[in-house]
Amino acid sequence: MTNSLELECPALKVARHKIERVGCAYFNARRQIGDSSGVERSDSDEKLAGAGEDVDISYLKSLDPKEWKDQDHYSVLGLGKLRYEASDDDIRRAYRRMVLQHHPDKRKAKGEEVITDDDYFTCITKAYEILGTSKLRRSYDSVDPEFDDAFPTQTDIESNYFNSFNKYFNLNARWSEKPQVPPFGEVDAKREEVERFYNFWYDFKSWREFSYLDEEDKEKGQDRDERRWIEKENKVARIKRKKEEMTRIRALVDLAYNNDKRIQRFKQEEKDRKAAAKRAKMDAAQAQKAEQERAVREAALAKEKAEKAEQKRIEQIRIEREQQKKVLKKERKTLRDKVKDCKYYAKNDKDQLKHMEGTEKICETFSLTELQALNKAMETKGRESFIAALQTADQKIAAELEELNMAQKKQANNTPKTGVKEVKKGEVWSNENVQLLIKAVNLFPAGTAQRWDVIATFINQHSNGAAGVVTARDVLNKAKALQNSDHSKSTLKTHANEAAFQSFEKSKKEVQTTNDITLGDTPAESKENVKQNGGVHVNNQQQQQQQQQQQQAEPKQNGVASAPTTNGVASKTWTKEEQALLEQAMKTYPTTTPDRWDCIAACIPNRSKKDCLRRVKELVELVNSKKEAQAAVK
């Protein structure tokens, strides 16, 4: 834009000229004429006039365009004071100002000789090219030659610690990726503020990168392989400089931390607090020790009382169970008597036989509560209640059989068909398996964890496998069948005992006995074989039969196991009292005691050293068998 101005002066007569209102020449002319024209300067002119600072022409002429990488681009554009704080608008205005002053065309118009290939204006253009691009400017700012990478000296630290480190941390805060940098603080700063400051700087994330210092430009590579090689070398150099930079930052933080009096004060306070806590803990420990000594004495008395109470509780539980069994037995007897008195509510002999069997089914399937309710209901309703109970019992048995069949079908479906021998249900329980079942029931009494699985595993381990695999359900059903009190099924027990005795006779050689054997007093034998004065002598074959039946067919009574036979001679059954004496004697005389077993035998009346050794061996074998069976189930 051009304007025609008529300039008049009383001393001189000035000709009319057209001048462009731009550049320093325009403003110099305005100052020379005293700015009396009344023409106001535009905003753009003021911005150009105030953009940057004047640059010494001798400095510009000393610049070598070939060494542009080593030059201070901010100083070239006249932004040496603002530097990284200069905005993009400041850089653009400074560049326009330099163009208006130092463009080769304008200098030629003034008569200045310009060498185009070696002119310093190339450095101005290059400086704007770098600072005017965000990525290139960031790269140049990372290696700003005016930035101070040094640390405060020890003299500065001792004389003015906080001002020195405030200065250096503020300088390095410009590299932080996070905009909010916590201040260093003063001597009265709170502990939370100090810890937040050091946590920030120990985890400092810097955006500073060193691509500006790359020795080679990958774009100058002749082919792709060379460009890749240049990029790889540059990357290695950048990583090395980045590590050095982070090491420098860490060293600065360590220097500040190690000399920070606030940290020393905090550590001393923490040390004093721990010492006070330790003293309090020691005092509490001494008081606690005295309290424990008193508590130990009281605990001994309390333990003795608790043991007595526990024994009493266990005895009470046992009595309650026995009472419950007696009540159940009584309710069953009441039911049988009522049904018998009413002639089993039968209209004919066929119904009577059927109801007799049904009565036993009800006794076996009904619980104590159900039996009590049934007996009470039969007082008023009679036959109606009995018939309904029969139907309920049949339903329970049918449901149990259905569940058994489903389980067998499921097992059959899951079992591979190839290489598996199909075994009929009746063939599973051979004489050998029946004897193993009776033995296992005695070995694993009620209360054993997963009892029926353990018994099934025991039978499968000790059988020859010809009869097939026995499941827990098979074991449970067979045990119920052996224990059934129905007269029509009671022959199973007799058959099992007879088969066991026949197997025993076949497996043992005949033994000639010359002397009779006197049996000990046992509850089972007292009715048949023992008299109060002198005892009764029986032959060896009868003793073997009775002893084998007691071991194989009868369960343990009150936790007392029957003793085995040795060379055809039946040893006396161990009672509870003898078992307790044996256990106490083994505790009293440890393995280091000379003639240990003689001492143990002396503590047990009517028992020899050989009897004690045999009994201990039986108990060890029993425990090992239980462990093997339980381990196989798990």
Side-chain angles (χ1 to χ4, degrees):
M1 178 179 178
T2 59
N3 292 325
S4 299
L5 299 177
E6 183 177 359
L7 303 178
E8 298 180 356
C9 183
L12 297 173
K13 186 170 183 175
V14 182
R16 187 182 299 272
H17 294 282
K18 290 183 179 181
I19 57 175
E20 188 175 6
R21 295 173 51 185
V22 294
C24 295
Y26 169 73
F27 294 112
N28 291 334
R30 292 283 299 272
R31 285 195 294 270
Q32 291 177 2
I33 65 176
D35 197 14
S36 59
S37 62
V39 179
E40 296 182 356
R41 297 171 61 182
S42 64
D43 293 339
S44 59
D45 295 336
E46 292 179 356
K47 290 181 180 180
L48 286 177
E53 57 189 16
D54 293 334
V55 182
D56 189 2
I57 190 63
S58 59
Y59 168 72
L60 294 176
K61 291 183 178 181
S62 64
L63 299 176
D64 185 1
K66 297 178 181 179
E67 301 295 334
W68 60 270
K69 207 166 190 178
D70 299 331
Q71 297 169 4
D72 185 355
H73 300 305
Y74 284 111
S75 298
V76 171
L77 294 181
L79 300 173
K81 293 182 179 180
L82 292 177
R83 306 197 69 80
Y84 72 93
E85 295 178 349
S87 64
D88 294 340
D89 189 50
D90 291 336
I91 294 173
R92 284 193 298 270
R93 287 189 284 109
Y95 176 67
R96 289 176 58 187
R97 181 172 177 274
M98 295 299 292
V99 168
L100 292 174
Q101 292 180 2
H102 302 283
H103 195 276
D105 293 342
K106 292 188 177 292
R107 285 156 49 205
K108 288 179 181 179
K110 293 179 181 180
E112 183 179 345
E113 183 180 358
V114 178
I115 303 176
T116 306
D117 295 337
D118 195 20
D119 187 56
Y120 65 85
F121 187 75
T122 305
C123 299
I124 297 174
T125 306
K126 193 66 178 179
Y128 179 70
E129 179 183 344
I130 292 175
L131 299 181
T133 306
S134 298
K135 184 177 180 181
L136 296 178
R137 184 185 179 185
R138 187 185 186 93
S139 177
Y140 177 72
D141 285 343
S142 298
V143 294
D144 191 347
E146 296 295 327
F147 180 75
D148 186 7
D149 287 336
F151 294 166
T153 63
Q154 191 63 33
T155 304
D156 296 337
I157 294 174
E158 294 175 356
S159 61
N160 199 345
Y161 171 82
F162 290 98
N163 290 338
S164 299
F165 279 104
N166 261 315
K167 171 187 173 183
Y168 283 96
F169 278 113
N170 290 336
L171 286 175
N172 287 276
R174 61 183 288 192
W175 311 124
S176 175
E177 292 182 355
K178 298 178 181 179
Q180 299 296 332
V181 180
F184 184 69
E186 297 296 337
V187 67
D188 57 347
K190 297 181 180 180
R191 181 167 187 165
E192 294 77 9
E193 297 175 355
V194 176
E195 289 179 349
R196 183 168 62 251
F197 172 82
Y198 282 110
N199 290 337
F200 176 85
W201 282 97
Y202 273 118
D203 193 27
F204 186 71
K205 304 295 183 184
S206 174
W207 57 261
R208 194 176 187 183
E209 51 95 8
F210 300 92
S211 59
Y212 188 83
L213 300 178
D214 291 345
E215 296 182 0
E216 299 287 342
D217 187 1
K218 72 174 184 178
E219 300 301 332
K220 296 181 180 180
Q222 297 181 358
D223 51 23
R224 182 175 60 183
D225 292 338
E226 185 176 357
R227 287 192 293 272
R228 286 182 177 177
W229 180 85
I230 293 173
E231 179 64 21
K232 181 179 179 181
E233 293 296 321
N234 291 339
K235 187 175 181 181
V236 171
R238 294 174 194 171
I239 294 174
K240 181 179 179 181
R241 293 188 179 98
K242 184 71 173 181
K243 288 182 179 179
E244 293 175 352
E245 170 65 10
M246 297 311 298
T247 303
R248 185 188 68 83
I249 294 291
R250 182 60 179 263
L252 176 63
V253 179
D254 289 340
L255 182 62
Y257 186 86
N258 294 332
N259 292 276
D260 197 335
K261 296 180 180 179
R262 299 171 299 181
I263 298 296
Q264 297 173 6
R265 185 179 73 250
F266 297 152
K267 288 183 178 180
Q268 185 62 37
E269 291 175 356
E270 184 70 15
K271 185 177 179 181
D272 295 341
R273 185 186 64 80
K274 289 183 178 180
K278 185 177 180 181
R279 287 193 299 270
K281 186 176 180 181
M282 290 177 64
D283 295 340
Q286 292 178 356
Q288 185 179 7
K289 184 177 179 181
E291 180 67 20
Q292 286 177 352
E293 291 176 354
R294 184 188 62 81
V296 166
R297 294 190 296 269
E298 296 179 357
L301 297 175
K303 182 179 180 182
E304 184 178 355
K305 293 181 181 179
E307 289 177 352
K308 292 181 180 179
E310 182 66 16
Q311 291 177 358
K312 185 177 180 181
R313 186 185 68 82
I314 294 174
E315 184 66 19
Q316 184 65 26
I317 292 174
R318 184 186 66 79
I319 293 173
E320 291 177 358
R321 289 180 179 175
E322 291 179 356
Q323 290 177 352
Q324 188 176 7
K325 289 181 180 178
K326 290 180 181 179
V327 173
L328 180 62
K329 186 176 180 181
K330 181 180 178 181
E331 292 294 333
R332 288 176 176 174
K333 185 177 182 301
T334 302
L335 175 64
R336 292 190 181 101
D337 293 342
K338 285 184 179 180
V339 175
K340 186 176 180 181
D341 293 342
C342 296
K343 296 183 181 180
Y344 296 96
Y345 299 104
K347 298 179 180 179
N348 49 48
D349 295 341
K350 185 176 180 181
D351 287 346
Q352 183 176 357
L353 179 61
K354 182 178 179 181
H355 289 180
M356 289 175 63
E357 295 178 354
T359 302
E360 297 302 322
K361 291 180 182 179
I362 293 173
C363 292
E364 293 296 328
T365 57
F366 274 39
S367 63
L368 176 60
T369 306
E370 293 174 336
L371 284 174
Q372 291 175 344
L374 176 60
N375 289 332
K376 186 175 181 180
M378 288 178 63
E379 293 178 358
T380 57
K381 297 184 179 180
R383 176 182 173 81
E384 182 180 352
S385 301
F386 179 73
I387 297 301
L390 286 178
Q391 295 176 356
T392 304
D394 291 337
Q395 291 175 0
K396 288 186 177 182
I397 296 174
E400 185 176 354
L401 291 175
E402 184 179 359
E403 183 181 356
L404 178 61
N405 293 333
M406 292 294 293
Q408 291 177 349
K409 289 181 181 179
K410 185 176 180 180
Q411 183 179 3
N413 294 333
N414 295 336
T415 304
K417 297 183 179 180
T418 58
V420 178
K421 180 180 178 181
E422 295 184 0
V423 180
K424 294 182 179 179
K425 193 68 179 178
E427 297 178 358
V428 171
W429 293 108
S430 61
N431 291 335
E432 180 187 3
N433 284 357
V434 172
Q435 299 306 318
L436 288 173
L437 171 61
I438 296 173
K439 185 176 181 180
V441 169
N442 293 333
L443 287 175
F444 308 103
T448 305
Q450 299 181 349
R451 183 189 183 198
W452 299 112
D453 293 327
V454 172
I455 292 175
T457 304
F458 178 84
I459 295 173
N460 293 329
Q461 287 181 345
H462 293 81
S463 64
N464 54 14
V469 178
V470 179
T471 63
R473 178 61 65 177
D474 296 337
V475 172
L476 180 59
N477 292 333
K478 189 63 177 178
K480 286 183 177 180
L482 289 174
Q483 295 176 357
N484 199 309
S485 60
D486 192 350
H487 298 288
S488 62
K489 298 181 181 180
S490 62
T491 56
L492 289 172
K493 294 182 179 179
T494 305
H495 176 70
N497 295 334
E498 292 176 356
F501 180 68
Q502 292 175 3
S503 175
F504 174 76
E505 284 185 332
K506 291 179 182 179
S507 62
K508 301 292 183 180
K509 295 181 180 179
E510 295 181 358
V511 179
Q512 298 296 332
T513 59
T514 59
N515 298 322
D516 294 337
I517 301 171
T518 301
L519 298 178
D521 292 340
T522 61
E525 295 170 350
S526 62
K527 297 180 181 179
E528 299 178 4
N529 301 328
V530 179
K531 294 181 179 180
Q532 296 295 331
N533 298 322
V536 178
H537 300 288
V538 295
N539 58 39
N540 186 33
Q541 183 175 1
Q542 292 175 345
Q543 293 175 7
Q544 291 175 353
Q545 179 178 0
Q546 293 174 358
Q547 190 67 25
Q548 185 70 16
Q549 290 176 358
Q550 290 175 2
Q551 292 180 1
Q552 301 288 343
E554 296 181 0
K556 293 182 180 180
Q557 300 293 334
N558 298 326
V560 180
S562 59
T565 60
T566 306
N567 296 330
V569 180
S571 61
K572 185 179 178 181
T573 305
W574 283 76
T575 62
K576 279 186 177 181
E577 292 76 11
E578 291 176 336
Q579 181 69 26
L581 290 174
L582 175 61
E583 294 176 358
Q584 183 61 38
M586 292 182 68
K587 295 178 181 178
T588 306
Y589 301 104
T591 55
T592 58
T593 304
D595 300 330
R596 182 192 185 201
W597 292 104
D598 293 331
C599 298
I600 293 174
C603 297
I604 307 172
N606 302 326
R607 290 294 178 182
S608 63
K609 174 182 176 180
K610 187 175 181 179
D611 292 337
C612 295
L613 287 170
R614 185 184 299 113
R615 179 58 178 166
V616 172
K617 184 177 180 181
E618 292 171 5
L619 294 175
V620 171
E621 292 177 353
L622 179 64
V623 172
N624 291 338
S625 299
K626 286 185 178 182
K627 288 182 178 180
E628 291 176 0
Q630 291 177 350
V633 171
K634 293 179 180 179

